[in-house]
Amino acid sequence: MRSFRDYMAERVRKYYSSPKNRFAGGGDFFTAPELDRAFGEAIGDFLYHRLKEFESPVILELGAGRGLMARDILSFYREKDRELFDRLTYRIYEFSPTLIDRQRQTLKDFPNVEWVDEITPLEGVVLSNEFFDALPVHVVKGEKELYINDAGEEVWLSLENERIREFLKRMGYEGLEQRIEVCLDCIEFLEKITRALVKGYHLLIDYGYTSEELYKFPEGTVVGYEKHKLRSDIYSEEEMDISAQVNFSALIEYGRDFGLKTVLFDTQRNFLASIPHFLTQLETLSFEESPEALERLSRLKTMLVSMGDRFKVLFQSKGL
Ligand SMILES: C[S@@+](CC[C@H](N)C(=O)[O-])C[C@H]1O[C@@H](n2cnc3c(N)ncnc32)[C@H](O)[C@@H]1O
């Protein structure tokens, strides 16, 4: 018997460490960096002037998948500003040995990339796309916490974890009679990020909700994906991507406690639509008539439309 949190942590680690392809067409899901390079380039454009302020800027990416966002950000800077590119270090924090190998292949032309096991002090930006949703959550309902027994069945036991109680109190969720997911791992990562940021920014892109929207998920938000299909039987032995939506209110509230200022919190659509490079790409592609341009245009629209509202962008700063 183990808590749902421990169960999910093990499943996620196993899933990402397997040699199978998890990404894009042959895999289980598409992420925005997998859709088109315009996404990483847009992030590069958004961060450009901010990064230039630092003498030796560092970008630390958490959970880099196949390394495509890193490649597109770095290519964007190499093209736009060689001087900044030469000063920049790109660090990747990743727990999957299989994906680290993939990232090394993708990024072999960039000498300024390094892989780290810990989040150590830096001046610059910590960023992630669809990383926090992979972090395991505790599931509670009233005075009970969810456990999974050896037969893969749900068992509700009395809630003993004081840190979960503190979280429920801090967020004003006490007494709610619905499934609530408590991502203590998310809070721990946020604290580590804040501590590591001597001066700089935290940029997080993911799908999620705020406290005001909690009522929309009476059964919680944990889901499994396999071959682009939603699976309801997440306790089956089959390999699938298990994730939980991100509680943005918690990251904003705890961020404030730790010393992070929220600079921006918006939908991915509004975020991308405010970035000049992304808009220029959209415009250029819409004037071209080649099948490739049309294909790319439709991928950019996916980022704005079907992903646009579901995905949110949180941008926080420290010491600036
Ligand atoms: C859904 S994928 C997103 C990948 C990439 N950012 C993208 O947008 O395509 C989640 C990534 O986070 C990594 N990851 C998940 N949990 C992690 C953890 N606890 N520590 C380090 N990496 C983790 C996975 O191995 C994978 O690279």
Side-chain angles (χ1 to χ4, degrees), residues 12-13 16-17 23 29-34 39 61-69 93-96 99 103 128-131 133-136 185 189 241:
V12 170
R13 185 178 273 272
Y16 283 108
S17 300
F23 297 87
F29 50 78
F30 277 108
T31 61
E34 293 277 335
F39 186 77
E61 183 180 352
L62 310 176
R66 296 198 294 180
L68 302 189
M69 185 160 82
Y93 176 89
E94 169 63 60
F95 74 172
S96 156
L99 287 175
Q103 292 158 12
S128 64
N129 184 65
E130 293 203 46
F131 167 76
D133 68 69
L135 297 180
D185 288 70
F189 265 103
D241 173 37

Side-chain angles (χ1 to χ4, degrees), residues 197 199-202 259-263 315-320:
L197 274 176
K199 202 161 66 169
Y201 303 95
H202 175 221
L260 288 175
K261 191 166 88 192
T262 295
V263 181
F315 188 55
Q316 298 165 306
S317 71
K318 182 179 163 194
L320 292 161

Side-chain angles (χ1 to χ4, degrees), residues 5-6 9 131-132 134-138 163 167 182-193 251:
R5 185 252 162 230
D6 290 352
F131 167 76
F132 278 78
L135 297 180
V137 295
H138 292 269
R163 289 174 60 222
F167 176 92
V182 179
C183 186
L184 297 179
D185 288 70
C186 297
I187 308 292
E188 276 165 27
F189 265 103
L190 191 70
E191 191 171 12
K192 280 188 208 156
I193 292 165
L251 295 176

Side-chain angles (χ1 to χ4, degrees), residues 36-37 41 277 279-301:
D36 196 275
R37 63 182 157 82
E41 292 172 359
H277 180 81
L279 295 175
T280 314
Q281 292 276 297
L282 266 182
E283 202 182 343
T284 315
L285 289 169
S286 59
F287 284 117
E288 284 179 29
E289 277 169 8
S290 68
E292 205 228 329
L294 286 173
E295 177 74 23
R296 286 198 64 206
L297 187 61
S298 124
R299 295 202 293 258
L300 266 56
K301 285 186 178 159

